[in-house]
Amino acid sequence: MNFDFSDDQKFLKNEARKFLEANCPTSRVRKVLDDEAKAYDEALWTAVAGQGWLGAAIPEEHGGLGLGHIELCAIAEELGRVVAPIPFASTVYFLAEAVMLAGSEAQKAALLPKIAAGEVIGCVATSEGPGVLTAAGLQASVSGGKLSGVKLPVTDGDIATHALVLAKENGQAGLFLVDLSAKEGVTREPLQTLDPTRDAAKLTLRGAAAERLGAAGEGFALLEQVTDRAAVLLAFEQCGGADRCLEMAKAYALERYAFGRVIASYQAIKHKLADMYVKNELARSNAYYGAWALNTNAPELPVAASAARIAASEAFWFGAKENIQTHGGIGFTWEVDAHLYYRRSRQLGLVAGAPRVWKERLVSQLERKNMAA
């Protein structure tokens, strides 16, 4: 059994790396970070759309490349390596996946070609403040095709053209599509975050037009399915970022001298790098398992997604932290790129639920599996 990418997938991955290294150096990431009025790199977004990556997993009949989810995982890893300041995850991992999973033929025909072309930016509006959202606590509601409620924080909420919104309809939770570009009944308020290269906003909806995805009452179940799929793709982004942190730390350790020798020769630094490597390999193993489950729509997907999400979140956070420590005093400075990866590690670690939530989900899935056996 082959647990690696195929030759064609490796070629795609290598070409993606070449493209992103040429078109997304950290200087471009910093331009978004330094400019409060700039939420993302529009030129890079257009260039990525031109590569066809936004439609990598979208069927050809809906304007995509029809490659599959493993190819999308390969692209996601390279985007993570360069901490790309674009709303790729919100649009492709969440919005496109939700429409492909539960959208009607009319909804697919209307949205998927525009997503593949880069004409649509998505966001997921589920949270209504601190704490875990439950059916009893859900406040947003839909009546007569009009949605009202307040959602925060919403990643990419101030630039999105379309939102996936969790709301109640006739007392039942549903997942709804809201066209934010219509502006009627939509108010956005930017929020300050640790990683301004992936912005967030408070969305206030007052009678905004909404279309339900899937059947009535399936909101939480559908959201869980979409989140499982997105978790695998996010895990690959995190693996890419974690690997880059290890590369940065190793390169610096081999060139920095202290007391007449490179710091890479000191046992304390060796241990840091070895620990990073072990966590990265564990994360990659779980991510590959998740990629297989996602691509084959296997029943193991909920378990595989949870494991991938937990391992990748831990690896990226640990790698980003240890990269700063390996750089020593200058690692904390604005001029060194280490903080870009630390910011993104924290952002990605929360965007689809914190590791604590995924650990609880994994335990629940395993308990149900054991009971069934």
Side-chain angles (χ1 to χ4, degrees):
M1 185 178 292
N2 184 8
F3 290 97
D4 199 0
F5 292 117
S6 68
D7 289 342
D8 287 343
Q9 290 158 355
K10 288 178 180 177
F11 178 79
L12 172 64
K13 189 172 183 294
N14 289 335
E15 290 302 306
R17 180 172 298 190
K18 291 177 185 177
F19 175 85
L20 289 169
E21 286 178 348
N23 292 276
C24 188
T26 53
S27 58
R28 290 189 71 161
V29 181
R30 286 177 175 273
K31 286 182 180 179
V32 177
L33 181 64
D34 292 336
D35 188 348
E36 292 185 1
K38 197 170 185 179
Y40 72 112
D41 190 321
E42 295 183 37
L44 179 61
W45 178 252
T46 301
V48 164
Q51 294 293 310
W53 297 350
L54 299 174
I58 293 175
E60 291 183 72
E61 60 266 30
H62 292 303
L65 298 180
L67 295 177
H69 285 94
I70 292 182
E71 287 78 6
L72 184 55
C73 288
I75 293 169
E77 184 175 344
E78 297 308 315
L79 290 169
R81 279 180 58 86
V82 297
V83 288
I86 53 176
F88 195 92
S90 298
T91 304
V92 179
Y93 308 164
F94 286 96
L95 181 62
E97 287 297 321
V99 174
M100 287 192 290
L101 186 65
S104 64
E105 287 305 314
Q107 289 169 333
K108 291 177 182 178
L111 275 178
L112 292 179
K114 291 183 179 181
I115 290 175
E119 298 171 8
V120 162
I121 293 175
C123 69
V124 186
T126 56
S127 174
E128 296 182 348
V132 178
L133 187 63
T134 62
L138 184 61
Q139 297 297 312
S141 61
V142 175
S143 179
K146 301 292 184 179
L147 194 152
S148 297
V150 177
K151 298 289 185 176
L152 79 158
V154 180
T155 302
D156 299 316
D158 65 335
I159 57 173
T161 61
H162 291 75
L164 286 173
V165 184
L166 189 67
K168 291 188 295 187
E169 183 182 37
N170 298 323
Q172 295 181 308
L175 196 59
F176 296 85
L177 280 172
V178 176
D179 185 350
L180 301 178
S181 61
K183 297 184 179 180
E184 185 177 349
V186 178
T187 304
R188 315 178 198 229
E189 180 184 336
L191 301 175
Q192 289 188 340
T193 66
L194 181 63
D195 184 7
T197 65
R198 290 299 310 279
D199 72 301
K202 174 183 178 181
L203 283 184
T204 302
L205 306 172
R206 296 187 179 91
E211 296 179 22
R212 189 179 66 245
L213 280 175
E218 289 185 345
F220 279 99
L222 178 56
L223 179 62
E224 189 169 293
Q225 292 179 60
V226 173
T227 306
D228 281 341
R229 302 168 81 83
V232 176
L233 297 161
L234 288 169
F236 273 90
E237 272 203 30
Q238 291 169 308
C239 284
D243 279 350
R244 184 67 189 119
C245 288
L246 176 56
E247 291 171 7
M248 291 169 66
K250 176 187 172 184
Y252 184 77
L254 288 171
E255 69 179 26
R256 175 74 168 94
Y257 276 76
F259 304 106
R261 50 194 280 205
V262 292
I263 64 172
S265 65
Y266 290 103
Q267 191 173 43
I269 298 298
K270 291 179 182 179
H271 284 178
K272 285 183 183 295
L273 300 180
D275 288 343
M276 292 168 70
Y277 175 80
V278 169
K279 289 183 182 294
N280 288 6
E281 288 302 297
L282 179 62
R284 183 169 299 281
S285 297
N286 281 285
Y288 278 17
Y289 178 38
W292 164 80
L294 173 59
N295 197 57
T296 60
N297 201 26
E300 294 90 344
L301 179 58
V303 171
S306 298
R309 179 70 173 154
I310 294 164
S313 295
E314 170 65 18
F316 195 9
W317 170 78
F318 184 83
K321 175 174 67 76
E322 291 301 287
N323 183 32
I324 292 174
Q325 291 292 328
T326 302
H327 278 76
I330 67 167
F332 293 86
T333 63
W334 189 264
E335 290 74 15
V336 175
D337 290 335
H339 67 93
L340 301 177
Y341 289 84
Y342 185 83
R343 292 170 187 271
R344 185 58 61 86
S345 75
R346 304 313 291 162
Q347 190 271 336
L348 286 179
L350 294 173
V351 70
R356 174 181 60 82
V357 175
W358 286 97
K359 289 175 183 178
E360 291 175 356
R361 287 181 66 176
L362 178 58
V363 170
S364 298
Q365 292 287 342
L366 293 175
E367 286 178 341
R368 285 198 289 268
K369 183 178 180 180
N370 290 338
M371 290 177 64

